[in-house]
C-alpha cells in the first residue's frame, strides 16, 4: 500500500511548490506531484493485483484537495472489491472515444457520402447539386442533428413545406436524404429503418409526385405549318438541328436520338 503521511490542510497543499511527489495524508498513497515547470497534479499510489500502480486523479487546483481525497477513497474501495480502477478508467475513456467517433451529424454524413461517391458520378456538377440541395432544404432542419437521432418528424419538416410548390426538387431531396441515411446505417452511425424511405412509408403520408406536378405540354405545330418549319430546320446549322430533324422523320424518342450510334443505323436498308 502507499506511504503513510500526516494529513496536510488545503492551505498547506496549496503551498507545495518544490518539484517532486508530496504525500498529503488523509488517504493512504494520495500525493500531489509538482512538475519541474510548475504544474501540479494528483497521484494515488496503491497496490493493485500485487503490483504498485500510480493512478492520476486530475490536475490541481482544477481538482481540489477535497475532491482528490474523495476520488482516492472511491478508487481504494474498488481495489478492495477486486476491481482495477485504472483499467476501468481506461475502458470508460475508450468507450467515450468510440461514442464520439460514431457521433456524426447529418451534415457531416452528407459531406462524407458525397466525397465517397463523387468519383463515380459522370457529371462533375452532380456533387455540387447534391450539396446545394441538402444545404438549402435539409441542413436547416436536420444538419446539426446527430445522424442517429434523425426521425420521421425531421424528414417531414424538410419535405412538407416544398412538396406541393417544388415537387421535383422535394422528390430529389427526399431521395438524397434516404441515401445519406442508408450510408450512415451501413457505416454503423445509426440503426433502424430509414425514415426517408418512400415505398410503404412516406408514400402513405405524401401524395405521389406525379399526382402533384402539373404537366404543361408544349403546343403542337399545326400540320399545315410543318413543310415550312422543316425547310427552315434543314437550313439551320449545327448538330442540334440535325438531331431534331432526325427525330421528326423517324419518330424516335429524344434520348434515343442523343444516344444513337452508327451501329444502330443501316443507311442501305433505311433502318
Amino acid at each position: 500500500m502507499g506511504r503513510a503521511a500526516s494529513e496536510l490542510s488545503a492551505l498547506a497543499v496549496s503551498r507545495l511548490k518544490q518539484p517532486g511527489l508530496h504525500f498529503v495524508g488523509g488517504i493512504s498513497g494520495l500525493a500531489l506531484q509538482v512538475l519541474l515547470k510548475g504544474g501540479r497534479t494528483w497521484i494515488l499510489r496503491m497496490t493493485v493485483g500485487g503490483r504498485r500502480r500510480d493512478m492520476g486523479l486530475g490536475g490541481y487546483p482544477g481538482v481540489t484537495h477535497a475532491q482528490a481525497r474523495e476520488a482516492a477513497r472511491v478508487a481504494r474501495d474498488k481495489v478492495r472489491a477486486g476491481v482495477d480502477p485504472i483499467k476501468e478508467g481506461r475502458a470508460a475513456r475508450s468507450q467515450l472515444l468510440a461514442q464520439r467517433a460514431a457521433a456524426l451529424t447529418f451534415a457531416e454524413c452528407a459531406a462524407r457520402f458525397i466525397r465517397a461517391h463523387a468519383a463515380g458520378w459522370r457529371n462533375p456538377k452532380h456533387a455540387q447539386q447534391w450539396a446545394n440541395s441538402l444545404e438549402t432544404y435539409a441542413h436547416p432542419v436536420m444538419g446539426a442533428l446527430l445522424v442517429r437521432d434523425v426521425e420521421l418528424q425531421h424528414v417531414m419538416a424538410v419535405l412538407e413545406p416544398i412538396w406541393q410548390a417544388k415537387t421535383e426538387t422535394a422528390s430529389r431531396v427526399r431521395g438524397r436524404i434516404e441515401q445519406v441515411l442508408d450510408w450512415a446505417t451501413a457505416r454503423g452511425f445509426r440503426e433502424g429503418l430509414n425514415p426517408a424511405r418512400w415505398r410503404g412509408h412516406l408514400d402513405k403520408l405524401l401524395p405521389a409526385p406525379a399526382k402533384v406536378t402539373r404537366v404543361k405540354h408544349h403546343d403542337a405545330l399545326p400540320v399545315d405549318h410543318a413543310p415550312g418549319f422543316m425547310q427552315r430546320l434543314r437550313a439551320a446549322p449545327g448538330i442540334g438541328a440535325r438531331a431534331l430533324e432526325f427525330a421528326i422523320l423517324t419518330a424516335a424518342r429524344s434520348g434515343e436520338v442523343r444516344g444513337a450510334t452508327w451501329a444502330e443505323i443501316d443507311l442501305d436498308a433505311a433502318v
Side-chain angles (χ1 to χ4, degrees):
M1 303 297 286
R3 287 176 47 188
S6 57
E7 185 172 2
L8 300 181
S9 67
L11 179 60
V13 168
S14 70
R15 291 173 175 171
L16 294 172
K17 301 292 177 64
Q18 183 68 27
L21 200 62
H22 304 272
F23 290 90
V24 301
I27 298 291
S28 179
L30 179 61
L32 185 71
Q33 184 179 44
V34 181
L35 306 176
L36 290 175
K37 292 186 177 181
R40 292 178 287 181
T41 184
W42 291 106
I43 298 292
L44 176 62
R45 178 164 290 178
M46 54 190 172
T47 300
V48 182
R51 294 174 53 204
R52 193 184 81 176
R53 309 286 295 279
D54 285 351
M55 178 180 179
L57 300 178
Y60 176 85
V63 175
T64 66
H65 187 194
Q67 290 170 333
R69 281 202 310 267
E70 177 60 18
R73 183 192 64 75
V74 170
R76 285 203 170 278
D77 287 346
K78 288 182 178 180
V79 172
R80 282 190 286 271
V83 176
D84 185 339
I86 297 176
K87 287 185 177 179
E88 184 182 58
R90 287 173 180 167
R93 286 191 293 274
S94 177
Q95 184 178 16
L96 179 60
L97 289 173
Q99 290 174 346
R100 287 178 178 173
L104 292 182
T105 66
F106 177 84
E108 289 169 332
C109 286
R112 291 194 182 193
F113 176 91
I114 292 170
R115 285 198 299 270
H117 289 82
W121 289 333
R122 289 184 297 176
N123 186 348
K125 294 182 180 179
H126 198 48
Q128 192 59 50
Q129 291 169 347
W130 259 75
N132 290 344
S133 64
L134 292 177
E135 286 173 9
T136 301
Y137 300 106
H139 291 354
V141 174
M142 65 176 69
L145 282 178
L146 293 180
V147 73
R148 66 177 178 232
D149 295 332
V150 175
E151 297 181 0
L152 174 62
Q153 64 263 31
H154 306 121
V155 177
M156 293 297 289
V158 173
L159 299 180
E160 281 187 314
I162 58 174
W163 196 258
Q164 301 284 343
K166 302 178 180 179
T167 307
E168 184 176 354
T169 297
S171 183
R172 289 177 181 172
V173 169
R174 183 211 63 78
R176 289 166 183 172
I177 293 173
E178 181 181 19
Q179 290 187 64
V180 171
L181 295 181
D182 278 344
W183 177 90
T185 301
R187 290 295 303 267
F189 299 130
R190 63 174 284 118
E191 297 178 347
L193 294 174
N194 192 324
R197 67 192 187 280
W198 178 254
R199 191 181 299 276
H201 185 54
L202 289 183
D203 62 348
K204 310 303 180 187
L205 303 175
L206 296 167
K211 294 183 178 180
V212 178
T213 305
R214 295 280 188 264
V215 178
K216 186 178 186 307
H217 297 287
H218 293 293
D219 292 335
L221 181 70
V223 66
D224 55 339
H225 292 180
F229 173 78
M230 290 301 292
Q231 288 179 353
R232 293 192 300 274
L233 179 62
R234 197 158 290 155
I239 192 66
R242 302 289 74 74
L244 178 56
E245 184 181 0
F246 181 88
I248 293 171
L249 294 174
T250 62
R253 292 181 177 273
S254 61
E256 295 172 338
V257 173
R258 293 194 302 272
T261 64
W262 285 114
E264 299 171 323
I265 298 170
D266 187 339
L267 295 177
D268 294 332
V271 176

